[in-house]
Amino acid sequence: MKSLKHFAIFSHGFGVRKDARGIFTDIASVLPGIEPVMFDYNEINETENIITITPLRRQAEMLKEILRGVKESAPDAIVDIISHSQGAVAVALATPTEIRKTIFLAPPVGVSSGRMLAAFRSRPGAEINMEGMSKIPRRDGSITLVPADYWTDRKNLKPVQLYNTFASHTNLTIIKADHDEVLGEMNFEGLSSDVEMLSLGGDHNFTGNARRPMVEAVKGLLS
């Protein structure tokens, strides 16, 4: 009997490429038999090393388009979703159905722009324009451009409510980073009991010694 195709759709976070700085490629490497689907939400100018951010609601539409393509290519396939950071918000906004399991890695519980903007404004060369295009130098030497529509999309979003709604359509697990230097200490108050919560040591990107335990946890959840 022929086995069903199995896909893992990866949803990356703010200002990074489709591999989420290596997080997703590390996960994909331990998932034999599962076909990884990685894609860029953002526009990337390789020549000038510039990433232009796509507004969140458009990201949700892009994810839906990817999922439609997967389903059209293999209607009976098993589909899982793995997201990191703000990628969880894009997934929850899309609220796709017919997803077997979903894993959110270090997702935000709020989308207030204050902490984010304060961090960006402190960087030499940063230009913040809430009504136009913001220019943000990144630590890796790249430049991130952020259109006004991105900040507009963040307003009034309530991630925990979005996660709860999405959890009624999928088996959802959140893996929290205990030492998240990007999002800080997070309170998941109000999270549905339908959502499984795991806490792992590590920073926002599960770097260094934190990477392998996170990868193994994801492997165990999807096996």
Side-chain angles (χ1 to χ4, degrees):
M1 185 178 189
K2 187 176 181 181
S3 61
L4 295 176
K5 292 198 72 173
H6 190 170
F7 294 91
I9 313 295
F10 290 86
S11 176
H12 68 77
F14 178 87
V16 299
R17 298 168 189 253
K18 61 185 177 183
D19 69 339
R21 294 200 170 111
I23 294 174
F24 291 166
T25 48
D26 284 347
I27 293 171
S29 71
V30 301
L31 300 177
I34 302 179
E35 184 173 336
V37 180
M38 301 180 198
F39 63 100
D40 286 303
Y41 284 123
N42 304 315
E43 179 183 331
I44 299 173
N45 182 327
E46 298 283 4
T47 303
E48 299 185 28
N49 201 16
I50 294 174
I51 295 179
T52 302
I53 301 299
T54 298
L56 279 168
R57 296 188 187 280
R58 174 57 189 147
Q59 290 185 28
E61 291 301 318
M62 292 172 71
L63 176 62
K64 290 179 183 178
E65 291 166 10
I66 292 292
L67 286 164
R68 277 195 294 270
V70 167
K71 282 295 186 181
E72 287 172 3
S73 69
D76 297 322
I78 298 168
V79 179
D80 297 323
I81 295 178
I82 302 166
S83 74
H84 177 247
S85 193
Q86 186 183 265
V89 178
V91 173
L93 277 171
T95 318
T97 57
E98 300 182 33
I99 305 302
R100 188 191 65 143
K101 293 184 179 182
T102 302
I103 300 171
F104 287 171
L105 300 169
V109 295
V111 288
S112 171
S113 300
R115 179 187 175 99
M116 190 177 189
L117 285 170
F120 289 151
R121 283 195 175 103
S122 68
R123 297 183 182 180
E127 301 171 10
I128 305 299
N129 182 354
M130 302 299 286
E131 297 181 356
M133 188 71 78
S134 297
K135 178 182 178 182
I136 303 166
R138 306 302 291 271
R139 294 185 181 91
D140 61 4
S142 66
I143 297 293
T144 296
L145 300 180
V146 188
D149 284 352
Y150 170 80
W151 305 114
T152 300
D153 274 1
R154 288 173 61 98
K155 289 180 181 177
N156 302 317
L157 282 180
K158 297 179 179 179
V160 170
Q161 291 185 13
L162 291 171
Y163 302 160
N164 289 345
T165 299
F166 183 45
S168 67
H169 298 287
T170 183
N171 180 319
L172 176 58
T173 300
I174 288 176
I175 298 180
K176 175 180 173 288
D178 284 339
H179 307 291
D180 196 321
E181 83 289 3
V182 173
L183 300 178
E185 185 61 33
M186 292 185 294
N187 182 355
F188 283 88
E189 183 179 358
L191 190 68
S192 170
S193 59
D194 291 336
V195 182
E196 180 181 6
M197 279 287 301
L198 300 177
S199 291
L200 294 178
D203 59 13
H204 186 65
N205 292 315
F206 298 95
T207 56
N209 291 334
R211 180 64 57 86
R212 180 51 54 181
M214 179 275 291
V215 167
E216 290 300 322
V218 172
K219 179 181 177 181
L221 288 166
L222 296 187
S223 62

